[in-house]
Amino acid sequence: MNAAEPLPEMQLDPAGTTVSGLSSGAYMAVQLHVAYSTSIIGAGVVAGGPYFCAQGQLSNALNRCMQTFVGRPDADALVAHAHALADAVRIDPLTGLAGDRIYLFSGTEDRTVTRPVTDAAREFYRLAGIAEQDIKYVTGIPAGHAFIVEDAANACGVSGEPFINDCDYDQAGDMLGHLYGALAPAVPADESRLLTFDQSEFLADPETHGMASSGFIYRPAACTAGAVCRLHIALAGCRQTPADIGDLFARTAGYNRWAESNRLI
């Protein structure tokens, strides 16, 4: 990995920002998407649940938003709470979600975040105003709790580090294709374009906010040369930090080869 440097300046299309994540990263993706719905046009949710699911309670996080021992998430109540936050101008109006696209994934072998939880995420988005045709929900793959790729060390049904599984399925490509529409074919990523940037420029002490001190950015050749590009924010899950797996998620989850050919940072 390269030493962290200041985030380089880039030309971004303000109408082209999407977000995705796995597990805790999926939950963070949903929080960002709903809170900033006028700025983010879609979300990919891999093994995650609805907005504000835990409601600030660890017991909910464990027993309602991963397992459902105390019942599944109440999508109606969570949408009502989101409307209340929007009315108080603490998040963007939920009308900002209209026209956005959502990708959802739940593996049939995932016992960590169970299917009813991701079902509730779909119901939340429906109630919040996302049209049915704009939601893609993939449920038929025998995957464990992981991000899914075409080739990896972990077998498809495994739920364990590094949480990147070989299911002969290009999840990043399928997701990005749904969020953005038709894409140019993927090309090999240039690993020299995967850089480490310093996040303390934006937060004085990132770790006190649950953020790493540095992040990864992949800049395609066209974007480096000054072309206007779109931005996709990919959030890793628990135990996928650089301390845990280095740059493996940033390098091998499959996003970069689609980014290179589609002016996507």
Side-chain angles (χ1 to χ4, degrees):
M1 291 181 289
N2 300 316
E5 299 179 358
L7 189 68
E9 291 189 8
M10 293 161 285
Q11 301 295 318
L12 294 181
D13 175 1
T17 300
T18 58
V19 63
S20 68
L22 164 68
S23 193
S24 60
Y27 270 108
M28 187 64 185
V30 173
Q31 309 312 298
L32 284 172
H33 181 218
V34 176
Y36 297 98
S37 63
T38 58
S39 301
I40 298 174
I41 64 167
V45 183
V46 180
Y51 179 80
F52 198 62
C53 183
Q55 301 176 62
Q57 300 295 322
L58 178 60
S59 60
N60 274 340
L62 297 175
N63 299 310
R64 193 184 300 277
C65 303
M66 295 174 67
Q67 306 296 318
T68 54
F69 299 127
V70 296
R72 57 175 283 164
D74 185 340
D76 290 276
L78 295 173
V79 170
H81 183 76
H83 276 297
L85 290 174
D87 290 343
V89 200
R90 294 180 62 188
I91 65 173
D92 285 353
L94 267 63
T95 52
L97 295 170
D100 289 0
R101 291 187 171 187
I102 307 299
Y103 169 95
L104 300 163
F105 180 89
S106 178
T108 62
E109 300 302 312
D110 189 342
R111 307 289 183 260
T112 304
V113 175
T114 57
R115 177 69 54 79
V117 175
T118 310
D119 288 348
R122 176 177 60 177
E123 186 63 16
F124 175 94
Y125 274 121
R126 283 173 168 169
L127 294 170
I130 302 288
E132 181 65 35
Q133 65 266 25
D134 291 331
I135 300 174
K136 181 169 188 174
Y137 191 9
V138 179
T139 59
I141 296 175
H145 188 68
F147 198 88
I148 308 307
V149 297
E150 293 177 293
D151 186 29
N154 276 11
C156 190
V158 170
S159 293
E161 291 187 21
F163 300 98
I164 300 171
N165 287 9
D166 180 352
C167 294
D168 297 324
Y169 170 57
D170 181 3
Q171 185 159 66
D174 195 22
M175 175 195 300
L176 293 172
H178 178 68
L179 297 183
Y180 286 111
L183 297 176
V187 299
D190 181 346
E191 292 197 6
S192 72
R193 299 192 181 282
L194 179 65
L195 307 175
T196 305
F197 71 93
D198 182 7
Q199 297 197 134
S200 64
E201 178 182 355
F202 310 101
L203 292 169
D205 187 358
E207 293 186 6
T208 65
H209 295 271
M211 300 290 288
S213 60
S214 62
F216 297 104
I217 179 170
Y218 185 86
R219 286 201 303 166
C223 306
T224 304
V228 175
C229 294
R230 297 174 292 189
L231 175 67
H232 180 77
I233 304 162
L235 301 162
C238 294
R239 292 158 59 190
Q240 287 187 319
T241 70
D244 294 315
I245 65 170
D247 65 356
L248 193 66
F249 180 83
R251 185 166 45 84
T252 70
Y255 294 98
N256 300 341
R257 63 196 194 96
W258 291 98
E260 185 63 49
S261 55
N262 288 279
R263 296 187 178 184
L264 185 64
I265 293 167

